[in-house]
Amino acid sequence: MALQPSLRQLIVAGSHDAPHTLDIFLDYVCPFSAKMALTIDNVLKPFFSKGGKYDGKVKAVFRLQVQPWHATSTLTHEAGLGVLRASPENFWPFSLLLFKNQTDYFDIPASTLTPIQIREKLALLAAEIIPADAVEQVKDLLTLKGSPNGGVAVTDDLKYNIKFSRQNSIHVSPTVLWDGLVAQEISSSWGEKEWTAFLESKVLV
């Protein structure tokens, strides 16, 4: 499916020109999304990477699924987009780190923090992965500037992701599309066995 050029690093597994596409809609503060993110890293990336069984055949796109009933969802996704812009090669490692630390951004732990403090906390988390100069860029990208209601520097990228989800009627995470259609059978509980069977049924090797 479509992906604007500036967000191509959202392709987290497989080659950009692979004919088959898994669009995987995940929310950084959704426990089921965290489980699926680890599966992407441990199961799908080896399948789709160079030398893997589906090398050049399938790619996986991480679609940012902001869920407003999680109070910090917008802020965490802004941070992901900030890292994508400042240090694109580290977007997926940062995403995994954020998923592993997602409980810090759950409703109750974050309830006593201001949005500015949460953004600062996310920048410190990014500092564990990305170079120091990129950390400063992320901080700048997440700083409110301009008009009183204009958002931050990555707000337009955030809007793109939200609009993409809305126009495709994606409501919850995780949701997975196979070649543009919702694959209802795919679950966050799937492991290598289930993914192997699914891909064997869909891809002519």
Side-chain angles (χ1 to χ4, degrees):
M1 295 181 74
L3 186 65
Q4 68 181 38
S6 64
L7 297 176
R8 290 190 77 188
Q9 289 300 127
L10 293 180
I11 300 173
V12 295
S15 59
H16 291 189
D17 57 355
H20 293 292
T21 303
L22 280 166
D23 287 290
I24 305 175
F25 293 77
L26 304 176
D27 176 13
Y28 283 124
V29 285
C30 165
F32 299 103
S33 292
K35 190 174 182 180
M36 183 162 278
L38 292 177
T39 300
I40 292 171
D41 203 55
N42 295 328
V43 177
L44 297 185
K45 281 182 73 72
F47 275 155
F48 302 163
S49 296
K50 192 169 182 61
K53 184 174 182 179
Y54 299 102
D55 175 18
K57 297 180 182 295
V58 185
K59 60 182 174 292
V61 183
F62 171 14
R63 299 287 186 174
L64 304 186
Q65 177 69 4
V66 176
Q67 299 186 129
W69 49 87
H70 297 311
T72 65
S73 187
T74 292
L75 301 175
T76 54
H77 286 286
E78 284 177 348
L81 290 166
V83 171
L84 185 144
R85 190 179 295 189
S87 185
E89 69 278 8
N90 288 306
F91 168 73
W92 181 241
F94 171 72
S95 293
L96 288 174
L97 182 64
L98 181 48
F99 277 121
K100 289 174 183 176
N101 288 274
Q102 67 174 193
T103 56
D104 290 346
Y105 304 93
F106 282 2
D107 291 346
I108 292 177
S111 64
T112 59
L113 302 176
T114 68
I116 289 175
Q117 289 172 323
I118 293 170
R119 288 185 172 107
E120 289 174 348
K121 186 178 177 73
L122 287 161
L124 286 174
L125 185 68
E128 298 182 23
I129 295 287
I130 67 177
D133 59 337
V135 174
E136 292 307 310
Q137 187 178 352
V138 168
K139 289 180 179 179
D140 186 63
L141 290 168
L142 301 183
T143 298
L144 294 164
K145 298 176 181 177
S147 69
N149 204 31
V152 297
V154 295
T155 295
D156 284 345
D157 290 342
L158 188 73
K159 288 179 180 179
Y160 172 89
N161 282 275
I162 293 170
K163 290 175 182 178
F164 185 87
S165 294
R166 287 177 176 175
Q167 77 169 12
N168 288 289
S169 299
I170 307 301
H171 301 293
V172 297
S173 67
T175 296
V176 181
L177 311 187
W178 172 260
D179 288 345
L181 298 179
V182 175
Q184 298 280 9
E185 68 270 34
I186 294 176
S187 166
S188 62
S189 65
W190 276 21
E192 185 173 355
K193 177 183 176 182
E194 292 81 5
W195 275 110
T196 297
F198 176 84
L199 292 167
E200 285 178 349
S201 72
K202 298 291 186 181
V203 184
L204 297 177
V205 179

